[in-house]
Amino acid sequence: MKYYLIVGEASGDLHASRLMRSLKKVDELAEFRFFGGDLMAAEGGTRVKHYKELAYMGFIPVLLHLRTIFTNMKMCKQDIAQWKPDVVILVDYPGFNLSIAKFLKKNTMIPVYYYISPKIWAWKEWRIRRIKRDIAEMFSILPFEVDFYEKKHRYPIHYVGNPTAQEVHEFMANYHQTLDDFCLENNLDSRKPIIALLAGSRLQEIKDNLPAMIEGAGRVGDYQMGLAGAPSIEDEYYQKFIKGTPVKLVKNRTYPLLANSKVALVTSGTATLETALFDVPQVVCYETPVPKLIRWAFNHILKVKYISLVNLIANKEIVKEMFADCFTVDGIADQLYQILPGMPGRDKMLTEYQEVRQRLGDQVAPDQAAVIMYDLIKKHREELIRLAKERAEAEAKAAAEAAERARIKAEQEAQRAREKAEREAEKAEREMALARKKAQEEAERARRKAEEQMRIAEEMEKKAKEESGLSDES
């Protein structure tokens, strides 16, 4: 079958590539065409656009690139319509993707599936109307989204498991590096426990959070700090913040860093869940502008109680969230101290991490999603075939009925023509009979008239002879 996928950022490229790999397991004839990245390209198919040409974050960048965004959107719509895939699979990135879904729903019969739901449970909940209208199937990777969609909005979805849980599980099963080797590889001291710093993957996040994270972690005992370097961030940018500090940059090795760390400071996002799945106690740090106003908005406007996935999944506070007006160096250092080895907060957090694992389940998300998608697409195709067959049968029946009506009408018209011809023939025959009778009558009258005239003539002749004889005798 033909699959068209659209992603708008690096995480989407990762998740979509694994979904493509799983789809190839259930559909050997799978064909792919996509707006995506290098990981998707490695799985095969045709890349129409790289997601880097789409990914504009924030109000000002979007405003400055509106023409490019609309051009890409128009191109995407035309490309889908021309290629005619069996399904279009959207991965997060709602601003762009929901517009594509609206177009497809209105103008085509192509079903649209959403893999990894937009976070409308946090903000822009009004998008549920567009999702219910335009999205045929939703595939969720967060268990709490089931209640949000199905109970609150009466929109059935598929929870397929969490890919991060599977990724961490697979990594741990195959990771055998010793602490000494890891430290040697990354210029760390194997005699000191490690505090992992996960400061995010965006420039602004790093700028806002990393300085306070370094200062807070630096106040905690005889520990060393390992900074997880995101692949999209240049080393030079990190050096602005870690130069002159004891922090060591561990580039593109976040999972090994977590596997060898005792505690972590983490910005919100998937990293909080990854940290929990590695059984590393953590403090969530997220600096915001105008913190008191953000706290007020969080309490009165936003739809969620927490900012970290760990707490959202558990639906309770497992990890401390130092954000808005709680984001202070003193607060970060204090909360970090309470989860160090030997502290009671540590064991409590590790125990509650197990609840998160249980809620996530053990499904392999891309495999589960691929099986369900393939089955649904087959059913959709069978339904289209059935409808086409029914339509063809209905059209054939209508054509046969029309032909029968035409035949009956033709026979009726022929019958009326025959009857008219017979009536006209009878009329002509009557008229001919009348004409013959009239002619005969006229002939008879003429004969009688002629006979009468001959009789008169004979009488006159006879009388003339008689008069002539009398004259001779005189």
Side-chain angles (χ1 to χ4, degrees):
M1 295 187 188
K2 297 165 69 175
Y3 304 85
Y4 202 109
L5 299 93
I6 306 172
V7 310
E9 55 189 2
S11 62
D13 182 37
L14 172 65
H15 293 307
S17 69
R18 289 175 175 167
L19 177 62
M20 291 165 68
R21 189 180 309 161
S22 296
L23 283 167
K24 288 188 288 187
K25 295 177 186 176
V26 296
D27 182 2
E28 295 180 353
L29 300 178
E31 297 179 58
F32 299 109
R33 192 172 178 88
F34 53 88
F35 276 45
D38 299 336
L39 295 175
M40 295 172 72
E43 294 298 327
T46 301
R47 183 171 68 198
V48 181
K49 282 272 186 181
H50 199 289
Y51 70 80
K52 290 181 180 178
E53 299 179 58
L54 310 176
Y56 299 106
M57 305 296 292
F59 178 76
I60 298 300
V62 168
L63 191 63
L64 292 175
H65 294 89
L66 271 179
R67 178 175 294 181
T68 300
I69 292 170
F70 286 132
T71 298
N72 288 334
M73 195 173 291
K74 181 180 179 181
M75 174 189 177
C76 184
K77 293 172 182 177
Q78 292 174 342
D79 193 57
I80 293 172
Q82 184 176 358
W83 198 54
K84 296 181 175 63
D86 292 288
V87 67
V88 172
I89 301 172
L90 312 175
V91 183
D92 202 355
Y93 197 50
F96 188 93
N97 278 337
L98 286 176
S99 294
I100 298 298
K102 179 181 179 180
F103 166 81
L104 294 173
K105 180 68 174 183
K106 183 177 180 180
N107 298 283
T108 75
M109 293 290 288
I110 302 169
V112 179
Y113 296 170
Y114 224 123
Y115 181 60
I116 305 179
S117 165
K119 297 174 180 62
I120 64 170
W121 36 264
W123 72 314
K124 295 188 177 181
E125 190 172 349
W126 51 265
R127 281 176 165 166
I128 185 62
R129 296 191 295 272
R130 299 176 65 178
I131 288 172
K132 293 174 75 171
R133 182 191 66 201
D134 301 329
I135 305 301
E137 303 288 342
M138 175 70 73
F139 296 83
S140 165
I141 63 170
L142 297 172
F144 62 85
E145 290 180 337
V146 175
D147 284 350
F148 172 79
Y149 278 109
E150 296 189 350
K151 290 185 178 180
K152 185 174 183 180
H153 292 290
R154 301 185 182 280
Y155 176 69
I157 67 172
H158 307 275
Y159 174 67
V160 294
N162 188 277
T164 301
Q166 182 63 24
E167 290 156 16
V168 172
H169 174 77
E170 291 177 356
F171 173 84
M172 293 300 290
N174 296 288
Y175 182 67
H176 305 295
Q177 188 178 37
T178 66
L179 175 62
D180 288 344
D181 288 341
F182 172 78
C183 289
L184 181 63
E185 182 181 90
N186 294 282
N187 198 27
L188 290 161
D189 186 348
S190 61
R191 295 168 297 178
K192 289 185 177 183
I194 301 170
I195 299 175
L197 306 180
L198 279 66
S201 59
R202 294 174 183 157
L203 299 178
Q204 191 64 44
E205 282 181 332
I206 296 167
K207 178 183 177 182
D208 291 341
N209 294 290
L210 185 55
M213 295 168 79
I214 293 172
E215 186 177 349
R219 295 183 183 182
V220 178
D222 192 21
Y223 282 77
Q224 60 185 333
M225 290 174 276
L227 172 61
S232 58
I233 305 298
E234 298 294 334
D235 292 2
E236 290 75 12
Y237 188 76
Y238 286 115
Q239 290 301 323
K240 295 179 181 180
F241 307 101
I242 66 175
K243 187 177 181 179
T245 74
V247 178
K248 304 299 182 183
L249 180 62
V250 182
K251 195 68 181 288
N252 300 330
R253 301 275 287 163
T254 300
Y255 279 12
L257 174 61
L258 287 172
N260 289 283
S261 296
K262 293 297 182 183
V263 288
L265 297 179
V266 190
T267 57
S268 64
T270 305
T272 64
L273 180 58
E274 291 172 326
T275 303
L277 292 169
F278 274 97
D279 278 332
V280 178
Q282 64 184 297
V283 178
V284 175
C285 309
Y286 205 83
E287 195 271 344
T288 64
V290 288
K292 290 185 178 180
L293 178 61
I294 294 298
R295 175 64 66 181
W296 181 89
F298 188 80
N299 292 335
H300 296 90
I301 299 176
L302 298 182
K303 304 292 185 179
V304 292
K305 294 185 286 186
Y306 308 106
I307 64 169
S308 68
L309 283 179
V310 176
N311 293 342
L312 286 166
I313 292 168
N315 195 29
K316 66 178 184 180
E317 186 181 66
I318 293 178
V319 301
K320 286 293 182 180
E321 298 179 344
M322 311 302 291
F323 85 105
D325 55 343
C326 292
F327 184 88
T328 65
V329 173
D330 289 342
I332 292 170
D334 179 62
Q335 292 300 325
L336 184 60
Y337 177 79
Q338 294 182 40
I339 57 173
L340 293 176
M343 300 301 292
R346 180 181 186 86
D347 291 338
K348 181 176 182 293
M349 189 177 294
L350 290 173
T351 298
E352 291 179 331
Y353 277 173
Q354 301 309 310
E355 295 181 33
V356 175
R357 280 196 178 85
Q358 291 173 2
R359 294 198 179 200
L360 291 175
D362 57 3
Q363 303 104 307
V364 180
D367 288 352
Q368 182 80 355
V371 169
I372 297 172
M373 287 181 182
Y374 183 64
D375 184 57
L376 288 170
I377 297 167
K378 283 200 303 182
K379 290 179 179 177
H380 180 259
R381 177 181 280 185
E382 290 169 358
E383 179 68 9
L384 289 178
I385 292 172
R386 183 186 65 79
L387 291 173
K389 183 178 179 182
E390 288 181 356
R391 184 165 58 248
E393 290 175 349
E395 290 174 353
K397 182 179 179 182
E401 290 174 350
E404 179 63 15
R405 289 193 297 271
R407 184 189 65 79
I408 294 172
K409 182 179 179 181
E411 289 183 353
Q412 290 173 343
E413 290 177 349
Q415 180 64 25
R416 286 194 292 269
R418 285 194 297 271
E419 292 174 353
K420 182 179 179 182
E422 289 175 356
R423 288 194 300 271
E424 290 176 350
E426 290 176 356
K427 180 180 178 182
E429 189 175 341
R430 286 195 301 272
E431 289 175 349
M432 289 179 65
L434 288 172
R436 284 195 299 271
K437 183 178 180 182
K438 184 176 180 181
Q440 290 172 354
E441 289 175 350
E442 289 178 351
E444 181 62 23
R445 285 195 297 271
R447 183 185 65 75
R448 290 178 180 176
K449 183 177 180 181
E451 287 180 349
E452 180 65 19
Q453 288 176 346
M454 287 184 67
R455 183 184 65 75
I456 293 171
E458 287 176 353
E459 288 179 355
M460 290 178 65
E461 183 180 1
K462 181 179 178 181
K463 184 176 180 180
K465 285 179 179 182
E466 289 176 353
E467 289 177 353
S468 176
L470 292 175
S471 174
D472 290 339
E473 286 181 1
S474 307

